[in-house]
Each structure stands twice: as C-alpha cells, then as structure tokens.
Amino acid sequence: MDSGELETLPTIELHERAVHYAVRHGDFAFIWDLLKAIPAAEAASGHGGEVVNDLSHLSALLSDAMASGHGDLGEALKPLYVDYLSKHPDA
C-alpha cells in the first residue's frame, strides 16, 4: 500500500500493523522512534501531564507504546505509522 492508501485506514489498524511488523522483524529502531514520539504526541493530544511521568518511568512508556494506537494519542502518532508502513509494504 502506498501512503495515500494507508492514510485511509483506521489509526488502530495502522498501529497494530506497524508494531506487530516491527516486533516480528526485530525492528527496534522503529520501536525506539515510537517511544521517543509518544511524549510529544501525548502533549499534542492534550495529555501533557503524562509526559513527565513517562519520561521518568520506562515501563509506563513501553506500556504506552503497545497501546498507542487508540484515541487522540493514536491520531497524533498516525503519521509515524503511515511512514513506517509505506516503507514496509509486506506489513
């Protein structure tokens, strides 16, 4: 799928496909990029209070990464999923 087709998919599907593909292929660079993007995405989606907590608690950040396809946070991260999936068409 090209990025235009990916843009039409629900965010949760993009999240699940991207994270599943990255985990299955050991693409820790994408997981790390996702982890780094979550605090800014939380702030942009109105959840700024969680940023300080996440930065000081890696386990919370990892938990966020696995659930980051939902709601406003997922929408804020959608460009990251579309970009990743457009580079990995077999995902």
Side-chain angles (χ1 to χ4, degrees):
M1 292 184 135
D2 66 24
S3 59
E5 293 170 309
L6 290 167
E7 286 283 347
T8 66
L9 297 176
T11 301
I12 189 64
E13 183 176 343
L14 294 169
H15 162 78
E16 289 175 1
R17 288 174 65 173
V19 170
H20 180 73
Y21 183 88
V23 169
R24 191 173 67 238
H25 289 88
D27 189 350
F28 299 111
F30 173 74
I31 299 297
W32 182 244
D33 288 343
L34 178 60
L35 291 173
K36 291 188 302 185
I38 287 173
E42 283 182 334
S45 63
H47 302 282
E50 297 177 28
V51 174
V52 173
N53 185 40
D54 286 347
L55 292 175
S56 63
H57 296 97
L58 182 58
S59 63
L61 195 53
L62 290 171
S63 176
D64 282 350
M66 299 316 291
S68 62
H70 297 280
D72 295 336
L73 177 59
E75 292 302 318
L77 292 166
K78 187 172 183 171
L80 183 68
Y81 301 134
V82 169
D83 180 62
Y84 183 72
L85 291 169
S86 67
K87 294 175 183 170
H88 299 91
D90 58 328

